Amino acid sequence: MLKNHILLAFRHLKKEKGYALVSIMGLAIAFTVAFFAVAFLLHEMVPDQNFVEKETLYRMNSYFTKTEERIDIPSVSFGAAEELMEKIPELEAMVPIEPMRGAFDVSVGGRTFKVDNCVLTSPGFLGLFKQDLFSVKLPFEEGTILLSNAISKSIFGDIDPTGQIVNTSRGDFIVAGTFEDFPSNSHLQINAAAMSLPSQDDKIGGGYVYVRLQQGTVREKVEEKLAQFSNDLNERYGPFAYSVESADRIYFSDIRVGSTTKVINKNTLQLLLIVSAIILLISTTNIINHTQLKALFRGREVGVKKVLGIKKAQLVYQFFVESFLIVAVSFLLAMSMAQVFASEVYMYLKAVSVNQPVAIAIVAGVALVVTMLMTLSQLYLFAGIMPRRVISGNYHIGTRKHLSKAMIGFQFLITTVLVGGALLVRSQMSYIANKPLGFDEDGLWYVYSGRDSLNLQLLKNEIRSIPEITSATVSSSIPGKPDGYFLYSFHYAKNEDNLLQCQVDQDYFDTYRMSFIEKPTVLTSSGYLLNEQAVLLEEKMDGAFKAEGELLGVVTDFHTSSFLQPIYNVRFRISDETQGFLTVRIVEGKEKEAKQYLAAKWKQLYPDTPFELFNLKDQFVASHASVTDFLRVVNALTLISVFISCVGLSALSAFSIKKKIKEVAIRKVLGATVYQIAKSVNLGFVLIIVGCALAAIPIVNKFGNDWLDRFAYHTQFDLWIQILPGFLVVFVAVAIVTFKTWATAKSNPIEALRTE
């Protein structure tokens, strides 16, 4: 029996092999995307697997007590933490971790390597994690360092680094061992851990503090004691209160992310889930529509089977086998595609360990649901066929074809929204690429030295006489880069605000061609400059910056970070900065000559450090990588949606014309034009799609404005972006139905009437 059902299913697939192949490919793409979405979701939902005894491990947080709104910070003064450990017996095994500011330069054999995410810690660091994470062959004590496998390989290659001495700005360290790279779903991200903490007299320093609670201790009880003793510490460590957070929950926390830590990537996760859901939805809708279209041609077959006494259960079984065959082929193709692209996708998502068997099982469950929907859709169409109508030749199930039209309309509704989204994202990217940054960015290029190694003033002095370079400056940071700013937090009138301080030399403002609200008459290290935003902050704080020296001038506001963030408060200190960024202004058309000269001088002055020259504006645009990735996803999703929707409309239009082929032939004999025939046959389809295009306008408007609100600076949501997608979709739909009608109307009407 099963063999007969399978053979019959193959026979029906062969009849509509072209459309069946397209449907299978669409569903396979949907299953593939769903697999990666589920796999990444599972990966993100089980973070921090390297920590040991997570149920007792907590991190201390602090929050400022002079504001009404509680703002948690993941860092604590080490001195305050030690006093709290003495006063609260439920706290055990304190492990301090101090993140190093900026890149940590490691020199070995005359070569310098920049290592990010480095920390200073204590021997208890090893006790936080499972022991198989580490390969430590020497005692981890003061003056030693642990390197991640990735960093060890980049510095020493395949040689075991144990016992090697590395030179750093913090002193010389002996490599005690290595550890596995931290996975992307860990809240703690470390590439090097050194055993050297601040001296006993330097307790004002701080960082992350991990503690263990005694077995059976209730967290709320510890929180009460922390609040009780916080007031006693305010005089020495500032107006802060303290709390503890389970290490098992930090990855999902909304607490402000600090250096060397991260939280769950909600944007990537949400985007991937939404994309997979939309593709799966339109693919399922299309394949169900395809199933219904085939079914409409099988009315006589089903009616005859009913006349011959086939039972409803047997009919359902046949529909299920046919649906299962299509979905099974799609599922197997999807899993094959997933294995082919797995490494690239996981690398993009930064997901190393993925539970593939569970993801496959979940997608298989989704495939079974799709199979049931396809089966039920056919059963719905054929439930009302009466055997007597088949015998009399008067059967029809066309009254239920409105479901197919509704599905086509739904697909085009999604398609219109996606086209609008693609246009909006592209418009925002154009806005980012063309919006002025607040200074003359044309011709600006930079090189980065790191924080602790190269003296860039040497290179700056060497290029003063080059005609291709009009000016140069060395600064601790540059617009669009977070590196090199010193962050200061201020609290006033129950508010909190931040200030970024940048160290610059005297040529900084001329090189960037910045404009001034108040131009300085002289630039000295005894004073400072502010941007407009920082002046407002100083006024709110009643001149709190006066202790920093004399205000030399006020710079017009400019963008220090991406357009996702507002313009920050910035203070400039004049100094003979030697490390950080060397920015040069190159004459237009002379970039090649200037690069060659810079590269040669760099190799002469810093032979052990690679030379990389970047265009400042290009790098600023590249800092909006999340927008670029979103644009790629929306474009791909739009193309898939348009393709599937057009195929569905083409099939439904062909079916409608085939059902009315006699009507078309008679109209043509009576002298009707192709336009008149197309209007009479397919006007219903066009009206449905026009209605969907109109319904899409408020949806595009709502979601488009919500997306733009993520940016502090964004493009205008012009009316044409809301209306144009509807026109494009309607145009494509009209073109499809007109072509199908034209092909039928051009045929010989006598042949059509004779066939009928």
Side-chain angles (χ1 to χ4, degrees):
M1 180 65 71
L2 177 59
K3 180 180 178 180
N4 292 334
H5 285 302
I6 294 176
L7 291 175
L8 183 60
F10 271 113
R11 190 178 304 133
H12 285 298
L13 284 177
K14 187 176 179 181
K15 287 182 180 179
E16 300 289 338
K17 54 181 177 293
Y19 195 88
L21 180 61
V22 171
S23 298
I24 289 173
M25 283 299 301
L27 198 56
I29 293 173
F31 286 152
T32 304
V33 177
F35 169 80
F36 287 126
V38 171
F40 186 61
L41 175 63
L42 294 173
H43 174 267
E44 292 291 279
M45 290 298 106
V46 286
D48 292 318
Q49 295 304 297
N50 287 330
F51 286 85
V52 66
E53 298 180 8
K54 286 192 295 181
E55 65 277 2
T56 63
L57 184 63
Y58 287 76
R59 185 184 68 188
M60 273 193 186
N61 297 322
S62 61
Y63 56 93
F64 195 68
T65 56
K66 297 299 183 182
T67 59
E68 293 182 358
E69 182 181 1
R70 174 170 167 170
I71 303 174
D72 286 272
I73 305 170
S75 61
V76 173
S77 165
F78 293 151
E82 286 183 351
E83 291 194 33
L84 289 169
M85 291 289 294
E86 294 174 359
K87 295 180 178 181
I88 305 176
E90 289 85 357
L91 300 179
E92 296 181 340
M94 166 185 162
V95 179
I97 297 177
E98 179 191 7
M100 298 184 191
R101 182 184 295 273
F104 184 59
D105 288 350
V106 175
S107 299
V108 177
R111 300 176 61 196
T112 300
F113 302 87
K114 295 177 175 57
V115 182
D116 295 320
N117 297 341
C118 303
V119 300
L120 297 175
T121 185
S122 69
F125 177 79
L126 299 177
L128 297 177
F129 310 96
K130 297 176 180 178
Q131 291 307 300
D132 57 3
L133 181 71
F134 297 93
S135 176
V136 181
K137 300 178 182 179
L138 296 178
F140 186 45
E141 56 191 11
E142 187 171 353
T144 61
I145 190 171
L146 302 175
L147 303 175
S148 70
N149 286 340
I151 296 301
S152 174
K153 188 170 184 178
S154 67
I155 297 176
F156 298 99
D158 296 328
I159 300 174
D160 183 0
T162 303
Q164 297 287 334
I165 298 178
V166 295
N167 310 114
T168 75
S169 58
R170 297 270 184 160
D172 295 342
F173 290 89
I174 300 174
V175 179
T178 60
F179 56 88
E180 297 288 339
D181 299 335
F182 278 76
S184 63
N185 61 345
S186 173
H187 77 269
L188 198 58
Q189 300 289 304
I190 296 176
N191 289 323
M195 216 325 243
S196 177
L197 287 175
S199 65
Q200 191 69 22
D201 298 329
D202 193 20
K203 293 300 183 184
I204 195 64
Y208 311 127
V209 174
Y210 289 83
V211 297
R212 289 201 181 275
L213 302 186
Q214 290 182 354
Q215 289 287 348
T217 300
V218 179
R219 173 182 172 178
E220 287 72 16
K221 182 179 179 180
V222 176
E223 295 273 10
E224 291 176 3
K225 290 190 175 183
L226 286 171
Q228 176 184 348
F229 291 116
S230 292
N231 292 332
D232 300 337
L233 305 177
N234 286 349
E235 184 176 341
R236 292 187 299 279
Y237 305 108
F240 290 95
Y242 305 94
S243 62
V244 290
E245 182 178 17
S246 172
D248 208 20
R249 298 299 306 167
I250 295 176
Y251 191 66
F252 305 106
S253 173
D254 291 328
I255 291 180
R256 181 183 307 169
V257 178
S259 174
T260 72
T261 62
K262 64 174 293 188
V263 294
I264 187 171
N265 193 337
K266 293 181 180 178
N267 292 333
T268 300
L269 187 59
Q270 290 173 356
L271 179 61
L272 195 58
L273 291 175
I274 290 172
V275 166
S276 61
I278 291 177
I279 292 181
L280 186 61
L281 184 61
I282 60 177
S283 299
T284 302
T285 301
N286 189 68
I287 202 166
I288 290 176
N289 207 18
H290 165 229
T291 304
Q292 292 174 347
L293 289 174
K294 289 198 309 175
L296 292 173
F297 288 101
R298 298 174 60 186
R300 188 180 298 276
E301 171 196 337
V302 175
V304 170
K305 287 182 177 180
K306 284 189 174 185
V307 170
L308 297 177
I310 190 172
K311 296 180 180 179
K312 185 176 182 180
Q314 293 175 300
L315 195 61
V316 172
Y317 187 45
Q318 175 62 46
F319 294 154
F320 178 81
V321 171
E322 294 176 6
S323 302
F324 181 81
L325 183 62
I326 294 175
V327 174
V329 173
S330 301
F331 178 79
L332 293 175
L333 180 60
M335 294 304 101
S336 301
M337 293 168 60
Q339 294 305 313
V340 171
F341 298 108
S343 58
E344 289 80 4
V345 174
Y346 293 151
M347 183 180 299
Y348 174 77
L349 296 175
K350 298 180 180 179
V352 179
S353 57
V354 175
N355 195 337
Q356 293 195 28
V358 176
I360 292 174
I362 293 176
V363 177
V366 173
L368 184 59
V369 171
V370 173
T371 303
M372 297 305 299
L373 289 174
M374 293 171 61
T375 303
L376 292 174
S377 67
Q378 293 184 84
L379 185 63
Y380 167 76
L381 287 172
F382 293 121
I385 292 183
M386 303 300 294
R388 59 182 178 81
R389 290 184 176 179
V390 175
I391 297 174
S392 63
N394 189 31
Y395 81 92
H396 65 91
I397 54 177
T399 56
R400 301 192 179 189
K401 67 183 179 183
H402 62 274
L403 181 60
S404 297
K405 290 185 177 180
M407 289 186 173
I408 287 293
F410 179 70
Q411 286 180 331
F412 273 93
L413 175 64
I414 296 177
T415 300
T416 307
V417 172
L418 290 175
V419 172
L423 292 176
L424 179 61
V425 178
R426 186 171 294 278
S427 177
Q428 177 64 11
M429 278 304 302
S430 176
Y431 173 86
I432 291 172
N434 296 301
K435 179 176 170 56
L437 301 182
F439 52 87
D440 185 4
E441 67 265 20
D442 294 334
L444 287 180
W445 298 74
Y446 72 88
V447 291
Y448 179 52
S449 72
R451 299 298 306 150
D452 301 300
S453 55
L454 312 182
N455 185 344
L456 291 180
Q457 290 292 343
L458 297 177
L459 180 60
K460 177 185 173 183
N461 293 331
E462 289 286 338
I463 62 177
R464 286 183 181 275
S465 60
I466 303 175
E468 292 85 2
I469 298 178
T470 59
S471 57
T473 180
V474 179
S475 57
S476 65
S477 187
I478 60 173
K481 288 286 184 180
D483 310 78
Y485 285 111
F486 294 92
L487 176 66
Y488 296 87
S489 293
F490 298 96
H491 305 273
Y492 58 93
K494 297 183 179 180
N495 293 312
E496 180 187 36
D497 217 332
N498 296 320
L499 174 76
L500 300 178
Q501 179 169 295
C502 182
Q503 306 290 114
V504 302
D505 64 18
Q506 295 189 352
D507 297 319
Y508 181 85
F509 303 102
D510 288 338
T511 301
Y512 279 85
R513 296 178 184 173
M514 290 186 172
S515 56
F516 295 90
I517 303 298
E518 297 179 17
K519 190 170 184 178
T521 56
V522 63
L523 294 175
T524 65
S525 59
S526 60
Y528 61 92
L529 293 90
L530 300 175
N531 69 338
E532 297 173 75
Q533 289 290 327
V535 171
L536 297 177
L537 174 62
E538 185 181 37
E539 292 174 354
K540 293 175 184 177
M541 298 178 58
D542 194 22
F545 297 158
K546 292 180 180 178
E548 300 293 332
E550 179 187 359
L551 178 61
L552 304 177
V554 179
V555 181
T556 303
D557 282 340
F558 63 95
H559 291 280
T560 55
S561 62
S562 73
F563 291 140
L564 288 166
Q565 304 296 333
I567 291 176
Y568 288 121
N569 308 303
V570 183
R571 178 169 65 198
F572 299 95
R573 301 301 304 230
I574 308 300
S575 67
D576 294 328
E577 190 69 17
T578 59
Q579 287 90 37
F581 296 85
L582 171 68
T583 307
V584 297
R585 183 173 291 278
I586 300 177
V587 177
E588 184 179 359
K590 299 293 184 179
E591 291 83 3
K592 183 177 180 180
E593 294 85 348
K595 290 178 186 178
Q596 290 176 346
Y597 189 88
L598 277 169
K601 284 297 180 182
W602 182 279
K603 186 175 182 179
Q604 177 184 341
L605 294 171
Y606 323 114
D608 299 319
T609 305
F611 173 77
E612 292 181 288
L613 185 67
F614 302 99
N615 181 273
L616 189 140
K617 184 58 182 286
D618 290 346
Q619 291 299 305
F620 182 84
V621 174
S623 68
H624 298 77
S626 60
V627 185
T628 306
D629 293 341
F630 188 64
L631 178 60
R632 292 195 189 101
V633 171
V634 171
N635 284 342
L637 185 56
T638 301
L639 290 175
I640 293 173
S641 177
V642 169
F643 174 75
I644 294 176
S645 299
C646 289
V647 170
L649 177 62
S650 177
L652 190 58
S653 176
F655 166 77
S656 178
I657 294 172
K658 188 171 182 179
K659 293 289 289 184
K660 298 182 179 181
I661 192 167
K662 185 175 182 179
E663 174 187 338
V664 171
I666 293 175
R667 286 178 178 273
K668 187 175 181 182
V669 170
L670 295 177
T673 63
V674 174
Y675 169 75
Q676 291 172 326
I677 295 173
K679 180 180 178 182
S680 64
V681 174
N682 292 307
L683 181 62
F685 294 126
V686 176
L687 290 178
I688 290 174
I689 295 170
V690 169
C692 292
L694 293 175
I697 293 177
I699 299 176
V700 172
N701 184 66
K702 172 64 170 62
F703 287 102
N705 281 314
D706 288 347
W707 183 75
L708 287 178
D709 286 343
R710 297 174 52 205
F711 296 85
Y713 306 92
H714 57 75
T715 185
Q716 295 294 322
F717 197 178
D718 296 326
L719 185 62
W720 71 268
I721 297 179
Q722 304 176 46
I723 296 178
L724 181 60
F727 279 111
L728 293 176
V729 168
V730 171
F731 174 79
V732 171
V734 170
I736 290 174
V737 297
T738 301
F739 175 77
K740 285 294 182 181
T741 307
W742 176 82
T744 303
K746 282 301 209 178
S747 61
N748 190 340
I750 303 299
E751 293 296 329
L753 291 174
R754 180 184 301 156
T755 302
E756 288 291 309

